[in-house]
Amino acid sequence: MTTVERALSAALYAESDADLDTGASLLAADPSADAELALRGQELVGRAWERGWQPADVVRMVRRELAEPHVRLAVELVLVQLKRYERLPARWAEQIEGLADAVRGAGDRSEDRFTRATTVLELYRLLLRLPAIEPVGPVPGTPVHLPPVHGEPKTLTRIRALLAKAEATEFPDEAEALSAKAQELMALHSIDEAVLAAGGHRGDAPGACRIGVDAPYETSKAILLDAVASANHCRAVWNGEFGFSTVVGFEADLEAVELLYTSLLVQGTAAMTRAEAAQRAGGRKRTKTFRQSFLLAYANRLGDLLSATARQVESTASTTLLPVLATRAVAVAGRAEKMFPRTVRTRVRGATDVAGWEDGTTAANRAHHGPGRPRLP
């Protein structure tokens, strides 16, 4: 039995710190075991792909359960493991690009061998215990026939630019107008994609992606994501245990959901910070209930507003397109039911802070409407 086998046998299936220390001591005393240990880590990462996990999912779980040294090590293992594949699914390529950026320029990582070995064993123990989850796409190495890529559609490029400006501006009125325009373009883009699919007989089928829903206030964030998904012809299913929602829909709509949710969350957080500062200036000290109520109101109100915008845009579509949209909605619902046949509804604790609810509702209105636009009652 090699040093690595002895160390893993002692540490990976044990709960006590003493067993973990035993394994770390064995590894620390044998530098010749490092190469085999790294290969074992890559094997564990590969098994995670087979169980339905993707790079961002794995790193998110490591960040939730362990510490920053474990995250850096996990990213390194993922990047090395995926180098063996000539081609990766598009979403995988995007994820590893983001992970590489996250560890670039990291601080000093000098550690003694025992500390390093402990980090490795703690990470491997987590990877070993990852359960199987619903797959949302092919794993690396699976033969896929991909259409030629000609770059991002111009509409999505415009939407991305509008939302980036909305997040960056310090003027609420400007952010309102930019976000509202981006949302209109998303709805029109979805209709255009439906027309192209129907006219070209492309045989498109719904896909899925996972979007992180991180603490704190993850319930409100999951509600916001569900609202964005519903308004963009998608279904969202939240997994609170693992910190993500799986969004089911056609590819163009999935891209819109990711863009819009991320932007509205950034804008909502900034608005909450400003509102909270105003509350503190007035002598208020209780901030947790304020934040919870603010984000819950923000998510609920935006759900109503986004749905209204989608209906308004779709009302301008030709009557010949309505059956196409209905068929796509049925396809999305069917895919979601197949992936998640046993979903349950979660009871949400109501808002308890009146000021937070009112400020959150106001922030939602501002994030959705541009100057001069009619507002819902």
Side-chain angles (χ1 to χ4, degrees):
M1 182 179 289
T2 66
T3 299
V4 171
E5 290 172 336
R6 291 163 56 204
L8 297 183
S9 178
L12 294 195
Y13 299 96
E15 297 290 344
S16 71
D17 291 339
D19 292 325
L20 185 67
D21 291 345
T22 297
S25 297
L26 289 169
L27 295 173
D30 187 1
S32 67
D34 291 354
E36 181 186 350
L37 185 64
L39 287 175
R40 291 299 185 93
Q42 292 169 36
E43 290 173 4
L44 288 171
V45 169
R47 292 180 193 174
W49 310 153
E50 296 171 0
R51 294 174 184 166
W53 296 78
Q54 294 189 355
D57 305 324
V58 170
V59 174
R60 186 185 306 113
M61 277 298 294
V62 175
R63 181 168 280 114
R64 283 167 61 93
E65 300 295 330
L66 299 173
E68 200 56 34
H70 304 85
V71 173
R72 290 196 298 265
L73 177 58
V75 172
E76 291 171 1
L77 286 174
V78 167
L79 295 178
V80 171
Q81 203 275 341
L82 292 179
K83 282 182 179 178
R84 67 184 64 185
Y85 301 104
E86 182 178 350
R87 173 182 288 182
L88 293 173
R91 291 188 180 279
W92 288 64
E94 293 170 3
Q95 290 176 30
I96 64 172
E97 182 179 349
L99 295 178
D101 291 341
V103 297
R104 238 178 239 125
D108 181 25
R109 293 182 290 170
S110 58
E111 300 170 312
D112 61 81
R113 287 190 57 82
F114 179 81
T115 300
R116 171 75 173 179
T118 301
T119 299
V120 170
L121 291 175
E122 289 172 337
L123 173 62
Y124 287 12
R125 187 161 59 183
L126 183 149
L127 293 175
L128 181 67
R129 296 176 180 178
L130 290 177
I133 59 176
E134 300 80 7
V136 294
V139 298
T142 302
V144 291
H145 301 286
L146 299 175
V149 177
H150 301 293
E152 184 176 74
K154 290 183 179 180
T155 302
L156 284 181
T157 301
R158 287 186 63 195
I159 291 169
R160 197 183 299 276
L162 288 168
L163 292 176
K165 290 180 180 179
E167 295 165 24
T169 183
E170 297 181 0
F171 302 101
D173 286 346
E174 183 181 9
E176 293 171 14
L178 292 167
S179 295
K181 183 61 177 177
Q183 290 157 42
E184 286 185 1
L185 288 177
M186 286 178 184
L188 291 170
H189 180 58
S190 179
I191 292 176
D192 290 342
E193 285 293 310
V195 171
L196 290 173
H201 304 288
R202 294 190 314 208
D204 289 3
C209 69
R210 282 191 281 267
I211 298 177
V213 181
D214 300 313
Y217 317 119
E218 54 266 45
T219 299
S220 297
K221 294 175 182 177
I223 292 173
L224 175 60
L225 177 52
D226 181 72
V228 174
S230 297
N232 285 277
H233 314 292
C234 296
R235 296 283 187 93
V237 179
W238 179 35
N239 187 320
E241 180 182 0
F242 298 143
F244 60 72
S245 283
T246 302
V247 183
V248 182
F250 288 91
E251 186 60 32
D253 297 329
L254 293 177
E255 293 175 345
V257 169
E258 289 185 281
L259 285 173
L260 184 55
Y261 168 71
T262 301
S263 180
L264 290 177
L265 186 58
V266 169
Q267 295 181 56
T269 301
M272 180 183 68
T273 301
R274 291 191 296 268
E276 185 180 28
Q279 290 286 321
R280 285 180 174 176
R284 180 189 175 117
K285 296 182 179 180
R286 293 178 61 193
T287 58
K288 183 176 181 179
T289 55
F290 177 85
R291 292 174 183 174
Q292 289 173 331
S293 299
F294 183 102
L295 289 176
L296 187 59
Y298 183 77
N300 275 280
R301 182 58 173 166
L302 272 174
D304 294 336
L305 297 170
L306 291 171
S307 296
T309 294
R311 289 194 300 268
Q312 182 178 2
V313 172
E314 289 172 12
S315 68
T316 64
S318 66
T319 55
T320 57
L321 181 59
L322 296 181
V324 175
L325 297 176
T327 300
R328 288 166 73 90
V330 170
V332 170
R335 175 68 188 274
E337 290 291 335
K338 184 176 180 179
M339 290 182 66
F340 303 99
R342 297 184 180 88
T343 56
V344 297
R345 293 187 179 274
T346 299
R347 184 180 295 276
V348 177
R349 183 180 178 183
T352 58
D353 189 291
V354 174
W357 182 269
E358 291 177 347
D359 285 351
T361 301
T362 300
N365 289 330
R366 296 185 71 88
H368 182 264
H369 292 287
R373 291 183 170 275
R375 299 179 182 268
L376 295 179

